[in-house]
Amino acid sequence: MKSLAAVAVAAATLAALATGQEAVAAPTAPTGPVITCGTPGAPGTLLTRACVEVTGNQVRFYGIAATTHSGWQPQQVGFTVSGTVVGGAPIAPINPTVLVQAGTTSVGSIVTTAPCGSTVSGSFSVNQWGWPPSTAAVSAVVSC
């Protein structure tokens, strides 16, 4: 399959050169997911970061929680993960409660599809009674 694509690109380049036109490279498909994480939320007991993973037109919203204290003891923590396709129908947020170990923990997963060229936005926050808020946000373009 790759050799057919290479032949097609070579033929197009030769045809462009013969007519004096500028050759244009064929678009290449992404080789894997593109992950974008936003800036961390307000510092607190946990540092939050919202992330979006794009593979083709499939989008996954999730968060990363990182402990900030060396004496952290594993505990259950509530979070909210949300995502939107700008201009699209609302996506219901999720509110997982996760056992957070010392270090970093991936939290939640909302998967949807989005049109190529659209912008997606996500947010991730601590949703635990008595804890200070720490909300993080991220935006990315679905470039297919």
Side-chain angles (χ1 to χ4, degrees), residues 9 26-27 48 94 133:
V9 169
T48 57
I94 60 172

Side-chain angles (χ1 to χ4, degrees), residues 12-144:
T13 302
L14 289 173
L17 291 173
T19 61
Q21 296 175 350
E22 188 174 318
V24 178
T28 58
T31 57
V34 175
I35 298 172
T36 305
C37 293
T39 57
T45 306
L46 287 175
L47 193 60
T48 57
R49 182 166 276 185
C51 298
V52 62
E53 177 181 302
V54 178
T55 306
N57 72 335
Q58 186 171 16
V59 179
R60 181 173 80 97
F61 300 98
Y62 65 100
I64 297 175
T67 58
T68 59
H69 299 291
S70 60
W72 177 268
Q73 295 297 311
Q75 56 189 295
Q76 297 285 335
V77 181
F79 296 95
T80 298
V81 178
S82 64
T84 61
V85 177
V86 176
I91 301 169
I94 60 172
N95 297 294
T97 298
V98 176
L99 178 63
V100 178
Q101 306 283 349
T104 60
T105 303
S106 181
V107 179
S109 191
I110 298 174
V111 178
T112 190
T113 57
C116 297
S118 63
T119 299
V120 294
S121 299
S123 69
F124 176 61
S125 60
V126 174
N127 185 13
Q128 184 73 29
W129 185 85
W131 287 40
S134 180
T135 300
V138 64
S139 290
V141 174
V142 178
S143 60
C144 297

